[in-house]
Amino acid sequence: MSRTDVRVVDLAPDGWLLEDTPTGPRPVPAHRLDTRFAEELAPPPWATDLLVYVHGWQTTPESALTAVQRLLALTAAQYDDTRYPRLEPWRPWTVLIRWPSRSLPSLGGYRRIRDRAHAMGTEGHAARVIGRLLGYLDARRADPAAPPVLANREGQYLHLVGHSFGCRLLCEAVQWAADQEALTLGWSTPAPAGRPFSVDSMLLLQMAAPRDAFAATFTALAEAPLHGPVVATYSQHDRATGFWHLRAEKRAGIGYAGIGTAPAPVSAIRMLPPDEPYPLAALDHRFVSVDASDVFVRGNGPAGAHSDHLRPESAHLLLSLADHCR
């Protein structure tokens, strides 16, 4: 069983970092952001991989924590060093970013949270706060390419995982730093020098954004501080990014129909069962669109299978990304 740990970061509706006080949550002053990160979010030396997870629509603080713990449990159950030979061992340490995403399960509610996620990332502070958090983690993690005399020779690697509208917040955060970055196109290229941070993989589960979002909105992700792929799943059983997204934005979402146009070629693959390995060639691209229509099928309410992403197949995909980035 791998060792795991979760730290929680809470954001206000404007995207600013909150801290608990005797009189209730309050925003952390801007000059104390890095101090706050150091107090609460120092990566432990035992961790091989650092995960940053951002939840999506209709998620309470409690259910967000339950979801990330379930994902970690799935990776622990799926992990086997014969399946993932470069993961020796798999010891993830996770930062869960929570934000106010609750609304009525209606078209108006969908639009409200869509607009909030967009505002938090563009007009608000979420992109800057998450971007600075990623920079903090990158600066303090053990360098995977460090000499053998340093501890943790095989880590630490940084992975981003988002669900639904949480994917938008992650994309905004990475894009925030992109204009400072000289860029890479995948694991097969050298890591950038002098980076604000570099991410080894980015897994976007059922992203709530238009199919052309990477070509029209998140254009800087083609030149972002990523040393690995942007991988997005989709399922035609996802009503939130199909039915609701189509009515709210007049076009289907990535979580329903996959990545459409993008600044770089998109590799289209299907989600594989847990016992079938992903070849490196399938994942070593800037953008990878993963058809999970045969996997994410459960859910009969207004959102359909939008939240059916916590499956062994998802754990397999995450572990495969972590394995291939070595």
Side-chain angles (χ1 to χ4, degrees):
M1 180 68 69
S2 61
R3 185 175 180 179
T4 61
D5 196 6
V6 178
R7 292 290 186 271
V8 176
V9 171
D10 287 310
L11 302 183
D14 65 355
W16 199 250
L17 181 68
L18 296 174
E19 63 180 346
D20 290 328
T21 72
T23 57
R26 72 175 182 185
V28 176
H31 70 277
R32 288 195 61 247
L33 270 182
D34 289 341
T35 300
R36 184 65 177 171
F37 293 154
E39 291 172 349
E40 301 291 336
L41 301 172
W46 55 259
T48 59
D49 295 78
L50 313 181
L51 308 183
V52 177
Y53 183 96
V54 186
H55 66 79
W57 186 34
Q58 298 290 56
T59 306
T60 66
E62 295 77 15
S63 60
L65 182 57
T66 298
V68 78
Q69 289 173 333
R70 185 177 171 195
L71 179 61
L72 291 171
L74 287 168
T75 64
Q78 173 67 20
Y79 171 72
D80 183 317
D81 59 11
T82 62
R83 291 193 188 109
Y84 315 100
R86 288 167 290 274
L87 293 185
E88 296 184 31
W90 164 251
R91 293 192 183 124
W93 180 79
T94 304
V95 177
L96 166 62
I97 297 176
R98 302 190 301 198
W99 58 285
S101 68
R102 297 280 288 168
S103 73
L104 293 174
S106 63
L107 180 58
Y110 187 91
R111 284 175 170 154
R112 178 187 173 203
I113 301 304
R114 174 203 63 187
D115 294 344
R116 174 178 293 172
H118 180 69
M120 286 176 69
T122 56
E123 302 161 15
H125 305 287
R128 181 155 65 107
V129 169
I130 299 174
R132 283 182 62 175
L133 168 62
L134 296 177
Y136 168 83
L137 293 175
D138 181 68
R140 283 154 183 79
R141 62 175 167 154
D143 187 348
V149 295
L150 295 182
N152 231 1
R153 174 66 179 87
E154 299 304 325
Q156 295 160 314
Y157 294 82
L158 180 58
H159 312 282
L160 309 185
V161 182
H163 175 235
S164 182
F165 286 119
C167 300
R168 291 196 186 206
L169 294 182
L170 279 178
C171 289
E172 293 284 3
V174 174
Q175 187 160 269
W176 175 81
D179 60 357
Q180 306 174 50
E181 182 68 28
L183 307 165
T184 64
L185 293 176
W187 295 314
S188 56
T189 59
R195 64 191 188 275
F197 64 85
S198 184
V199 173
D200 295 296
S201 74
M202 190 171 185
L203 177 56
L204 306 175
L205 297 160
Q206 303 308 108
M207 184 173 182
R211 296 195 68 205
D212 64 350
F214 295 114
T217 304
F218 304 119
T219 55
L221 285 189
E223 300 177 344
L226 296 167
H227 188 52
V230 176
V231 179
T233 66
Y234 68 96
S235 169
Q236 295 188 344
H237 302 282
D238 183 341
R239 286 175 56 82
T241 58
F243 179 85
W244 293 112
H245 197 283
L246 186 62
R247 280 146 187 80
E249 304 201 26
K250 309 306 180 187
R251 47 195 165 169
I254 289 174
Y256 174 79
I259 302 173
T261 54
V266 179
S267 174
I269 64 174
R270 66 181 181 88
M271 179 167 269
L272 297 180
D275 59 351
E276 185 175 343
Y278 285 94
L280 174 63
L283 295 174
D284 192 14
H285 302 271
R286 171 49 87 203
F287 297 98
V288 182
S289 190
V290 181
D291 185 355
S293 297
D294 293 334
V295 180
F296 301 163
V297 298
R298 298 179 300 193
N300 298 316
H306 184 60
S307 294
D308 192 26
H309 61 292
L310 298 173
R311 303 290 292 271
E313 292 84 355
S314 303
H316 175 43
L317 179 55
L318 176 56
L319 288 168
S320 298
L321 289 167
D323 185 60
H324 283 314
C325 79
R326 262 66 173 167

